Amino acid sequence: MLDAVLFADLVTELPAAVRLQRLVNTLRNHFACGAVALLQLQQAQLKPVAVQGLLRETLGRRFVVAQHPRLAAILASRQPVRFPPGSELPDPYDGLLAETPGEAVPVHDCMGVSLYVEGRCWGALTLDALSPASFDALAILQLQQLSLLVEAAIRITELEQANRALRQGELPAAGTSTVAAQQYEIIGQSPALQRILQELDVVASSELPVLLLGETGVGKELFARQLHRRSGRADKPMIYVNCAALPESLAESELFGHSKGAFSGALSERAGRFDAADGGTLFLDEVGELPLSVQAKLLRVLQNGEIQRLGSDKLQRVNVRLVAATNRDLQQQVKQGEFRADLYHRLSVYPIPIPPLRERSEDLPLLAGHFLEQNRSRLGLRSLRLAPAAELALLGYNWPGNIRELEHVISRAAIKALSQGAQRSDIVILQPELLDLPQTLRAPLSPAPTILPAQGLKEAVNQYQQQLILQALEQHQQCWSKAARALQLDASNLHKLAQRLGLK
């Protein structure tokens, strides 16, 4: 019966995320276990791509293999590996099981198997059960057999994605550095984010200048790097310039270079950032801060592809794709005479607004999980996670500093927890008071909003339902049946709603 279900999914064209999620759901039901996770190996770390039975924040975590002996043991073997109750190896999912959030489960059963696609190690499949005798010899044999179907599903998904990219005329990311993609990964699954990433993929294949617009802290540099990775210039350099940090007296020299004797201290000829980016991409962050005198020379580059070094009469051709970013209203600056109108129109051939975090509330648990895992690794903790009330506080906050502010809030809370006596060998749970969020900016829970939400109605309703469910769980010590009664819902319907909202 299980084989028939898996085969049906193999021969049906499905979105990658849907196929892989259905896969882990089916495996969890078959083995009657607490959690199943499908993890993809990227360099030296494992990225969860589909989970069932684990907290949603798990999808934002990245597990460094060297720091997790169980995951390392699974990847080192071509056969299924079982970790019996009482295993001394630490569990990477400590505190992340949805049925026992924040709790260690010392007496339980775990097993996993490495996955190979076309002879390369693709990742791993892990299963966790709360009962100590869940996985016997038959279960291990079944996992070995079913891993072949899992590998087939992954391969079919990869082929469908490649075919879809070819049909849409997208450039393959063959020149992309996996290390760079991992370092500058954009985390999230919200519709708002997916729309932006799809738009970036389309415009990346063109040579048009792109202007990234967004509030401070939304991660405009990450989107610029994504654009470069998806372009035909991916194997060439991307040079980053923070225009706000350039002194006006040196801005021209930094961008275009200078000749010997161009000014006091110019003892030799020096190339600029445009030279360094030749053939690749130049990213001008905070472009609205550039002096007017430099803006005129930048316009020449966009018009003619020529630069002139400071102190030189010689013109030099460069082949550079320009990406700019700003958190300012450039149109208003043009009206005030602070920014050249002709340059603005050249830069904003293709403007892309980056949504603030408050419009991506579905991504907040994933981003929080990412920063929690970073701090767990950095501080040498066994496990680090949010209390449900703390997650509720994060969801209710307006985030004027966006993702950068979220990162700092979680890092600060983790250090506070240690300074207040938390032990590194414990599951450290961050309570709302450790987050130190300004009370005035928290969105209060009330029977109905008194003002219209900034996001769409559907997103506002989803966020409000998330808050009510988390509050009910907090009031009833994470007991789902009691929370369902308090919310006047059938328990099965509450579980389905929580899964749809990304809380399970």
Side-chain angles (χ1 to χ4, degrees), residues 26-27 32 81 100 123 163 246 268 272 300 379 440 480 502:
T26 302
L27 290 172
V81 179
T100 58
N163 288 336
L246 290 178
S268 62
R300 173 193 285 273
L379 298 174
T440 55
W480 285 88

Side-chain angles (χ1 to χ4, degrees), residues 290-330:
L290 279 177
L292 285 169
S293 59
V294 177
Q295 291 179 28
K297 286 207 167 187
L298 182 58
L299 182 63
R300 173 193 285 273
V301 183
L302 288 170
Q303 289 175 331
N304 305 322
E306 296 175 339
I307 62 171
Q308 185 176 0
R309 290 183 178 175
L310 187 62
S312 172
D313 296 328
K314 181 181 177 181
L315 295 177
Q316 178 182 341
R317 295 199 63 82
V318 289
N319 176 18
V320 173
R321 203 257 181 93
L322 199 63
V323 178
T326 183
N327 60 6
R328 291 191 170 195
D329 185 345
L330 291 187

Side-chain angles (χ1 to χ4, degrees), residues 28 53-56 97-101 385 388 391 465-466 468-504:
R28 186 190 182 201
L54 296 172
L55 296 177
R56 180 169 168 77
L97 293 176
E99 294 186 37
T100 58
R385 66 170 307 275
E391 184 174 349
Q465 288 178 326
Q466 287 175 335
L468 289 178
I469 293 173
L470 289 170
Q471 186 182 53
L473 288 170
E474 178 70 16
Q475 291 174 348
H476 295 90
Q477 292 74 49
Q478 307 306 311
C479 178
W480 285 88
S481 59
K482 291 181 180 179
R485 285 195 295 271
L487 294 170
Q488 300 180 19
L489 287 174
D490 179 77
S492 62
N493 289 338
L494 176 60
H495 284 288
K496 292 177 183 177
L497 177 61
Q499 187 170 349
R500 181 179 68 81
L501 295 173
L503 297 177
K504 293 193 66 178

Side-chain angles (χ1 to χ4, degrees), residues 213-282:
L213 306 168
E215 300 174 5
T216 182
V218 296
K220 293 186 286 294
E221 181 184 352
L222 297 184
F223 290 91
R225 293 188 180 277
Q226 172 78 358
L227 182 69
H228 175 70
R229 288 197 302 269
R230 299 295 295 175
S231 75
R233 299 171 178 261
D235 58 343
K236 299 296 183 180
M238 172 178 161
I239 304 300
Y240 171 86
V241 179
N242 182 0
C243 299
L246 290 178
E248 184 171 355
S249 58
L250 297 178
E252 185 176 346
S253 171
E254 282 292 319
L255 290 176
F256 308 111
H258 62 254
S259 60
K260 182 178 179 180
F263 52 85
S264 177
L267 302 180
S268 62
E269 189 172 7
R270 180 181 181 275
R273 303 295 180 90
F274 271 94
D275 292 277
D278 195 18
T281 304
L282 182 67

